[in-house]
Amino acid sequence: MRAVFVMVKTEPGHGTEVANKIAEQVESFSEAYSITGQYDLLVKLYVDEIDSLGRLIEREIHSIPHVRETFTILTFEAFGAR
């Protein structure tokens, strides 16, 4: 499994609602954090196949009401204690 981070921009006032929907509806969901800056949420997913990630983002995250934009960060190697 590979960890993937998705930064999510929401419509103002809907960050918590969107985070809860992602947690409920996205099977590969691990955790979500509210963040500051250009995006509102940082979502951690674990995916088996990186090739299906585009469809996952489009169908499962962009379909959630009040999601305005996403930015996906792929990971390669984890460092530190496991």
Side-chain angles (χ1 to χ4, degrees):
M1 291 200 123
R2 181 185 229 170
V4 175
F5 292 90
V6 181
M7 293 192 299
V8 180
K9 186 182 293 185
T10 67
E11 292 177 4
H14 293 280
T16 300
E17 177 185 347
V18 169
N20 288 333
K21 290 279 189 193
I22 291 171
E24 293 169 8
Q25 297 177 10
V26 178
E27 185 177 329
S28 57
F29 173 82
S30 174
E31 52 200 294
Y33 300 91
S34 59
I35 58 174
T36 61
Q38 188 175 359
Y39 291 87
D40 303 298
L41 300 170
L42 178 65
V43 177
K44 185 177 184 181
L45 308 173
Y46 281 102
V47 297
D48 289 322
E49 294 183 32
I50 205 71
D51 293 337
S52 63
L53 184 60
R55 287 185 298 280
L56 184 152
I57 301 294
E58 178 184 355
R59 293 179 184 160
E60 296 186 35
I61 294 182
H62 279 276
S63 66
I64 294 173
H66 309 296
V67 169
R68 297 175 89 183
E69 184 179 319
T70 60
F71 183 86
T72 304
I73 302 167
L74 302 178
T75 65
F76 300 103
E77 185 175 354
F79 300 95
R82 290 186 183 207

